[in-house]
């Protein structure tokens, strides 16, 4: 099959599997937070007469891989792009819990590609601002765990440009921890002075 048919196939498989979980658009709108949805995904796998039944988390992971194969350029509708960014966030969090930070970073970055850099304004349905913040904080944390200071610096800088100071504090901690791990004490002092000035 040609490329467009292959992308369409990945997209339809992802939608089919995703609708088998509680991570569809309607349920995401109703939930209090992404963390609520993450906790509510059932974990256990079971067997029936027809064969094994995958957990919702396994289904969502497979669906997310398929939608990532299709890619953000294939999906034009913003609500769908936000939904798939949310799927990547959830799977990224799962990988982080398992300390698989390389995979976690991959999913966070895919989520960022789906939602885009300029979508930090809420539309009242899915919080763009919170979704962006969660994705960039996740990418920052995974980069820190992988000792990739260049990526830590990039992802935290995007956070600093787009959120109020109070909400940027976790990102500052990530950045300072990364600097300290590389012995960049002068930069820590300089950034610390900047932080103190912002508190005045």
């Amino acid at each position: 099959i040609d490329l467009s048919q292959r992308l369409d196939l990945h997209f339809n498989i992802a939608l089919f599997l995703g609708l088998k979980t509680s991570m569809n658009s309607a349920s995401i709108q109703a939930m209090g937070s992404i963390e609520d949805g993450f906790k509510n995904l059932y974990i256990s796998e079971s067997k029936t007469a027809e064969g094994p039944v995958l957990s919702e988390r396994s289904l969502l992971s497979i669906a997310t891989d398929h939608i990532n194969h299709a890619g953000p350029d294939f999906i034009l509708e913003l609500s769908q792009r936000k939904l798939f960014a949310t799927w990547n966030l959830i799977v990224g969090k799962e990988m982080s819990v398992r300390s698989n930070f390389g995979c976690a970073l991959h999913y966070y970055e895919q989520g960022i590609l789906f939602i885009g850099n300029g979508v930090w304004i809420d539309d009242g349905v899915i919080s763009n601002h919170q979704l962006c913040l969660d994705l960039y904080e996740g990418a920052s944390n995974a980069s820190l765990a992988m000792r990739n200071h260049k990526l830590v610096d990039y992802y935290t800088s995007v956070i600093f440009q787009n959120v109020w100071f109070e909400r940027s504090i976790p990102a500052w901690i990530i950045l300072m921890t990364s600097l300290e791990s590389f012995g960049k004490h002068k930069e820590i002092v300089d950034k610390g002075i900047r932080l103190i000035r912002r508190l005045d």
Side-chain angles (χ1 to χ4, degrees), residues 129-148:
H129 194 275
Q130 188 61 51
L131 180 55
C132 287
L133 181 58
D134 288 343
L135 285 166
Y136 276 90
E137 279 188 353
S140 301
N141 264 313
S143 300
L144 173 64
M146 296 175 67
R147 291 181 56 81
N148 190 328

Side-chain angles (χ1 to χ4, degrees), residues 8-191:
D8 190 56
L9 181 61
H10 281 303
F11 177 77
N12 287 321
I13 291 172
L15 277 188
F16 175 79
L17 293 174
L19 291 174
K20 296 291 184 181
T21 76
S22 57
M23 289 293 102
N24 53 59
S25 294
S27 61
I28 287 177
Q29 291 175 27
M31 72 177 64
S33 67
I34 297 300
E35 283 71 20
D36 293 339
F38 180 70
K39 291 173 184 174
N40 290 336
L41 284 173
Y42 71 82
I43 303 171
S44 62
E45 301 186 1
S46 58
K47 291 184 177 180
T48 66
E50 291 75 27
V53 177
L54 293 174
S55 71
E56 281 198 303
R57 290 191 183 182
S58 296
L59 284 174
L60 187 64
S61 179
I62 297 168
T64 303
D65 286 337
H66 275 286
I67 207 62
N68 288 345
H69 277 296
D73 293 338
F74 185 77
I75 295 111
L76 301 179
E77 190 176 331
L78 180 58
S79 62
Q80 286 189 331
R81 291 170 70 105
K82 289 160 61 178
L83 173 63
F84 302 142
T86 303
W87 288 5
N88 274 285
L89 172 62
I90 292 168
V91 179
K93 284 178 177 285
E94 175 74 2
M95 293 299 105
S96 293
V97 168
R98 297 180 183 181
S99 298
N100 191 341
F101 297 108
C103 281
L105 180 60
H106 166 75
Y107 287 111
Y108 293 133
E109 290 180 329
Q110 288 295 311
I112 288 169
L113 288 176
F114 272 101
I115 199 167
N117 283 329
V119 194
W120 285 79
I121 301 172
D122 292 346
D123 64 5
V125 181
I126 300 175
S127 172
N128 298 342
H129 194 275
Q130 188 61 51
L131 180 55
C132 287
L133 181 58
D134 288 343
L135 285 166
Y136 276 90
E137 279 188 353
S140 301
N141 264 313
S143 300
L144 173 64
M146 296 175 67
R147 291 181 56 81
N148 190 328
H149 179 70
K150 184 177 180 180
L151 284 180
V152 171
D153 189 57
Y154 168 70
Y155 288 121
T156 55
S157 69
V158 176
I159 294 172
F160 300 149
Q161 293 166 17
N162 288 281
V163 303
W164 293 103
F165 172 69
E166 290 78 7
R167 302 196 72 188
S168 72
I169 291 175
W172 279 108
I173 293 171
I174 294 169
L175 178 59
M176 294 295 197
T177 303
S178 182
L179 288 169
E180 195 278 332
S181 70
F182 284 94
K184 299 186 177 184
H185 303 296
K186 184 179 184 302
E187 287 187 48
I188 293 174
V189 172
D190 292 342
K191 291 182 185 298

